Amino acid sequence: MKFAKQHTLKQIAEIIDCGFVGDENFPVFGMNEIHVVTPGDIVFVDHPKYYDKALNSKATIILINKNVECPEGKALLISDDPFRDFNKLTDYFKPFQSSNSSISDSAVIGKNTVIQPNCFIGHNVVIGDNCIIHSNVSIYDDAVIGNNVTVHAGTVLGANAFYYKKRPEGYDRLKSGGRVVIENDVDLGALCTIDRGVTGDTIIGEGSKLDNQIQIGHDTVVGKKCLIASQVGIAGCVVIEDEVTIWGQVGCTSGITIGKKAVVHAQAGISKSLEGNKTYWGTPAQDARIDLKEKAYVKQIPEILSQLKKIK
């Protein structure tokens, strides 16, 4: 998430009431999660396991809960609770705005686009030309939809990321200030749910087709011309490269990559990154061709044992 204008390190520290290390005029341009940070961004870290990763990331402002040596060319925001203060910044720069109409006055809707009854279109939503948004679709604030897109009934674009920190009193939600971006020529089936990014974008690439009842988690990027069948669940921060096919009821863990033109058969469980141009099935998902060969070898075991007995 980039800010509307440049801020200084001192201004950010005053917003969240914390100390800082570095020039008070050090420039701050935005805030992002570690996988999408760029120079000028704030990234937060609150666990020693990830200190080095955050300090050595592309982010130039690190919101951290320990006094550490500041890397050259960077600045620190010292907080007793970086998770809380990252939420404060989200509230400050991307506050929730309630709506009093079904289609916000700030929404931009293209030529020949049809919005069926009972839809909700939030603030600053952009919808391109020649789209059909069927009944009871909810499109949350800041979503961007390209041209020639079809969204079927009951689909929700832009709900909060499923991202929580466990505290003694319960779970504390990391607030979402990102977007959903649907590129040109995408079809979304009925009752799909595509969560917004925490600070970045959740993207469905050009020409991809999604069946009914599919969940796409925050900050996931689906490439071009992908096919995803019904009841697939994709966690957050997944990269699905171009022309991937995922069949029904596949489940996918967070933070992995599925390579270009991979095919994943129904009910597979994806627990790690998969290479492209291969076919997978099973839980954990594995190369189907290798698995078939192994099964064929297993079937030969009784015959091999029989031959061994004859030798004795």
Side-chain angles (χ1 to χ4, degrees):
M1 175 172 36
K2 298 301 182 184
F3 302 150
K5 63 179 182 179
Q6 176 184 319
H7 285 66
T8 67
L9 182 67
K10 182 179 179 181
Q11 287 173 327
I12 298 298
E14 288 173 348
I15 291 169
I16 57 177
D17 191 22
C18 77
F20 62 89
V21 176
D23 183 347
E24 66 177 31
N25 293 313
F26 192 92
V28 185
F29 296 101
M31 53 187 285
N32 271 309
E33 288 187 278
I34 196 162
H35 62 285
V36 290
V37 289
T38 58
D41 285 343
I42 302 166
V43 69
F44 87 92
V45 60
D46 59 3
H47 194 289
K49 181 179 178 181
Y50 303 109
Y51 285 168
D52 286 345
K53 185 177 181 180
L55 291 165
N56 295 315
S57 71
K58 292 181 180 179
T60 44
I61 305 95
I62 296 87
L63 175 59
I64 191 170
N65 57 346
K66 184 179 179 181
N67 280 295
V68 296
E69 184 176 350
C70 184
E72 185 177 354
K74 300 192 177 187
L76 305 178
L77 293 161
I78 310 299
S79 165
D80 64 327
D81 192 335
F83 189 100
R84 176 202 65 208
D85 287 340
F86 201 75
N87 273 343
K88 284 184 181 179
L89 291 173
T90 299
D91 280 338
Y92 184 88
F93 289 105
K94 187 64 70 171
F96 172 74
Q97 294 178 278
S98 61
S99 295
N100 55 15
S101 62
S102 296
I103 300 178
S104 171
D105 292 338
S106 62
V108 177
I109 299 173
K111 296 179 181 178
N112 302 316
T113 285
V114 176
I115 309 292
Q116 294 284 69
N118 300 320
C119 288
F120 171 76
I121 312 294
H123 301 302
N124 306 312
V125 168
V126 176
I127 303 176
D129 301 337
N130 305 310
C131 297
I132 301 176
I133 312 299
H134 286 279
S135 62
N136 300 308
V137 168
S138 293
I139 303 176
Y140 287 31
D141 294 357
D142 304 311
V144 177
I145 297 174
N147 301 323
N148 310 308
V149 171
T150 299
V151 183
H152 283 282
T155 283
V156 178
L157 306 181
N160 288 329
F162 188 72
Y163 193 142
Y164 293 86
K165 182 180 181 67
K166 189 174 184 180
R167 299 188 186 276
E169 63 273 17
Y171 291 99
D172 191 4
R173 176 169 59 86
L174 186 63
K175 296 184 178 182
S176 300
R179 307 184 301 174
V180 168
V181 176
I182 310 295
E183 296 183 349
N184 297 339
D185 304 306
V186 168
D187 291 346
L188 301 178
L191 300 174
C192 292
T193 50
I194 302 177
D195 295 342
R196 69 195 304 152
V198 171
T199 54
D201 295 335
T202 304
I203 301 172
I204 309 298
E206 181 176 352
S208 288
K209 312 297 181 183
L210 276 62
D211 197 0
N212 304 324
Q213 297 181 325
I214 290 169
Q215 158 67 14
I216 305 290
H218 70 91
D219 295 284
T220 283
V221 176
V222 176
K224 301 179 187 300
K225 299 180 182 178
C226 293
L227 289 175
I228 304 180
S230 180
Q231 297 181 13
V232 166
I234 306 293
C237 304
V238 172
V239 175
I240 300 174
E241 296 183 348
D242 297 346
E243 299 182 56
V244 168
T245 300
I246 303 177
W247 294 114
Q249 295 187 336
V250 168
C252 179
T253 192
S254 63
I256 59 97
T257 297
I258 302 174
K260 184 176 181 179
K261 294 187 177 181
V263 176
V264 185
H265 282 303
Q267 295 190 327
I270 305 173
S271 60
K272 62 182 181 180
S273 293
L274 303 178
E275 293 181 15
N277 296 293
K278 292 184 178 180
T279 299
Y280 300 90
W281 64 11
T283 301
Q286 55 195 306
D287 188 315
R289 182 177 295 182
I290 292 173
D291 190 50
L292 280 171
K293 287 182 179 179
E294 291 174 348
K295 284 180 167 60
Y297 294 147
V298 168
K299 288 181 178 180
Q300 295 176 30
I301 290 175
E303 178 62 24
I304 294 170
L305 291 174
S306 177
Q307 293 298 324
L308 289 171
K309 287 179 181 178
K310 288 179 182 179
I311 293 172
K312 291 180 179 180

